[in-house]
Amino acid sequence: MVQENYHNMDSNKNRGRIVVTGGTGFIGSHTVVELQQSGYDVVIVDNLSNSNADVVDNIAKITGIRPSFEQVDCLDKEFMESRVFSKYSGIKAIIHFAASKAVGESVQKPLLYYRNNIVSLVNILELMPKYNVNGIVFSSSCTVYGQPDILPVTEDAPIKKAESPYGNTKQINEEIIQDTIKSGSPINAIILRYFNPIGAHPTALIGEMPNGVPMNLIPYLTQTAIGIRKELSVFGDDYDTPDGSCIRDYINVVDLAKAHVVSIERILEDKQLESVEEFNIGTGVGVSVLQLINAFERSTGVKLPYKIVGRRAGDIEKVWANPLKANTVLGWKAETSLEDTLKSAWDWQLKLNNK
Ligand code: UFG
């Protein structure tokens, strides 16, 4: 059952203006909704290279408020200045999602990834001080840990050599932020290391929209369940895990979006904030691919055709978060059950296919 009229009373407050790059993307759009419902005024900046302007309409349907929208590429520093930083006064902070994110593609086109992901961040960090914007929340990934030696992984685990140019851009960008702050910049940064974001908004008005054949597990799974794909391939059942399939920490996208709101609050209001802080954003629970398939079948009642195939190159065997730092310092905790999250992904797939 899809929940409509999701408006929230908090939206009457005005807590300040936040710029969200990549705000029409999967995680970005859910974050814009949560920010608006917490009373922030949002400016979305997106070049629509991997998303659609309809997302802005759907955000407005959910919240009752239309966010400002600028179709600008973060690589274009002049446009970023004229259409965003100088056009909108009183920007309090920026959440930087805009990036290329396909691991496999990054191996084929490394320079595209280094340019898109790194130059965008450098442009933003250069523009921020000029307009007295001192807060940034940066989208990082558990990919920076590689295969951790100790699980669940904590934020102080060693950063391992990246497996892909995409992963490398996340590591480099974390370092760029740290070096900028070390050099005396007044910027405060929160780096969120996401585990595996899945699911969709409970209204089924926004969700993940992969281009072409999905690479990630959940969109492939829901497309299989609805009949677009014949069967799901489970990549390996000979890992050193209880059922032999890989283990991940699947985090609900709305819960993940809420982590950005509390990060913004900490940047804007908390005097204890260190100038740069990293947080794991995960549930703390590891789930195998086979367990996930079972949970999907249980929560939706839909039988999923799948077969076991060989391992996928570059896959990490097992990783899940220790989210204690986010729980205690940010006061954030994953709340949605895996079953409800999978149900939301299914409702979204049904909606995409007009079912
Ligand atoms: N998997 C399958 N079949 C599929 C797709 C995936 O069995 O068709 C398995 C993978 O082997 C893995 C698990 O499902 O064990 C999750 O795979 P995803 O591709 O959904 O996610 P990853 O953990 O590989 O990658 C995610 C993000 C990346 C990010 C990475 C590490 O998609 O952007 O986490 O942070 F880099």
Side-chain angles (χ1 to χ4, degrees):
M1 175 65 189
V2 166
Q3 198 180 328
E4 298 285 354
N5 296 324
Y6 201 74
H7 302 184
N8 181 311
M9 296 310 290
D10 268 4
S11 54
N12 295 330
K13 291 187 270 179
N14 185 356
R15 301 173 76 183
R17 176 168 282 158
I18 308 294
V19 167
V20 180
T21 75
T24 56
F26 175 42
I27 308 173
S29 57
H30 289 81
T31 301
V32 172
V33 166
E34 296 305 316
L35 285 167
Q36 289 187 318
Q37 291 183 331
S38 301
Y40 292 99
D41 172 24
V42 178
V43 180
I44 294 177
V45 178
D46 204 306
N47 66 0
L48 301 180
S49 64
N50 197 20
S51 60
N52 191 308
D54 293 352
V55 172
V56 181
D57 300 334
N58 288 331
I59 291 171
K61 275 188 205 151
I62 296 171
T63 63
I65 306 162
R66 204 174 174 79
S68 305
F69 171 63
E70 297 292 339
Q71 187 175 346
V72 171
D73 190 323
C74 298
L75 288 179
D76 189 333
K77 195 173 170 191
E78 268 176 42
F79 255 27
M80 280 299 281
E81 180 153 17
S82 60
R83 299 259 303 270
V84 183
F85 281 89
S86 72
K87 178 168 169 185
Y88 294 90
S89 61
I91 299 169
K92 294 254 174 105
I94 183 155
I95 306 182
H96 183 44
F97 291 107
S100 300
K101 62 172 185 177
V103 178
E105 185 188 46
S106 79
V107 178
Q108 307 303 322
K109 302 176 183 168
L111 296 179
L112 178 80
Y113 274 66
Y114 286 115
R115 174 184 294 279
N116 280 355
N117 294 3
I118 293 172
V119 176
S120 295
L121 176 69
V122 171
N123 284 344
I124 288 166
L125 291 173
E126 284 178 344
L127 286 165
M128 285 171 66
K130 190 168 169 193
Y131 291 88
N132 290 318
V133 182
N134 289 334
I136 183 166
V137 178
F138 176 67
S139 300
S140 189
S141 163
C142 68
T143 195
V144 301
Y145 301 122
Q147 175 59 65
D149 299 323
I150 300 170
L151 288 166
V153 64
T154 52
E155 288 82 355
D156 51 13
I159 300 299
K160 299 259 177 85
K161 184 168 166 31
E163 295 276 346
S164 67
Y166 161 78
N168 206 18
T169 65
K170 291 295 174 193
Q171 294 188 358
I172 293 169
N173 277 351
E174 287 199 11
E175 286 180 18
I176 288 174
I177 291 171
Q178 280 149 357
D179 289 344
T180 306
I181 289 171
K182 263 188 236 150
S183 75
S185 158
I187 288 172
N188 291 315
I190 289 188
I191 291 171
L192 299 181
R193 293 178 180 153
Y194 313 148
F195 283 68
N196 286 54
I198 63 165
H201 198 268
T203 58
L205 284 166
I206 52 173
E208 193 170 4
M209 278 194 280
N211 267 337
V213 182
M215 294 300 191
N216 294 120
L217 179 59
I218 294 304
Y220 203 102
L221 184 155
T222 55
Q223 288 193 7
T224 305
I226 210 160
I228 299 172
R229 316 266 159 221
K230 195 164 132 267
E231 61 192 348
L232 172 74
S233 295
V234 174
F235 296 140
D237 69 347
D238 56 352
Y239 285 100
D240 183 17
T241 60
D243 64 22
S245 62
C246 288
I247 296 180
R248 297 286 182 275
D249 184 333
Y250 294 95
I251 173 75
N252 177 280
V253 68
V254 175
D255 288 348
L256 173 60
K258 288 177 179 165
H260 297 79
V261 178
V262 290
S263 298
I264 288 291
E265 280 160 8
R266 182 162 171 82
I267 284 178
L268 299 183
E269 292 157 23
D270 197 318
K271 304 287 173 285
Q272 304 298 310
L273 174 78
E274 289 172 30
S275 44
V276 55
E277 295 178 335
E278 297 88 12
F279 295 99
N280 284 342
I281 304 297
T283 64
V285 179
V287 173
S288 74
V289 177
L290 293 172
Q291 284 175 323
L292 192 104
I293 292 171
N294 269 324
F296 178 81
E297 291 183 335
R298 263 199 321 275
S299 72
T300 61
V302 179
K303 195 93 193 101
L304 190 86
Y306 73 88
K307 64 171 181 212
I308 311 284
V309 301
R311 294 181 178 196
R312 179 171 72 176
D315 263 342
I316 300 295
E317 181 170 85
K318 49 190 166 196
V319 62
W320 64 96
N322 180 333
L324 194 64
K325 188 176 172 197
N327 299 163
T328 50
V329 178
L330 290 177
W332 172 91
K333 200 171 185 314
E335 286 169 346
T336 315
S337 70
L338 181 62
E339 278 73 13
D340 285 352
T341 302
L342 292 170
K343 184 72 175 45
S344 72
W346 180 232
D347 286 341
W348 169 245
Q349 186 67 60
L350 290 170
K351 180 84 167 242
L352 282 178
N353 290 267
N354 300 314
K355 293 203 173 156

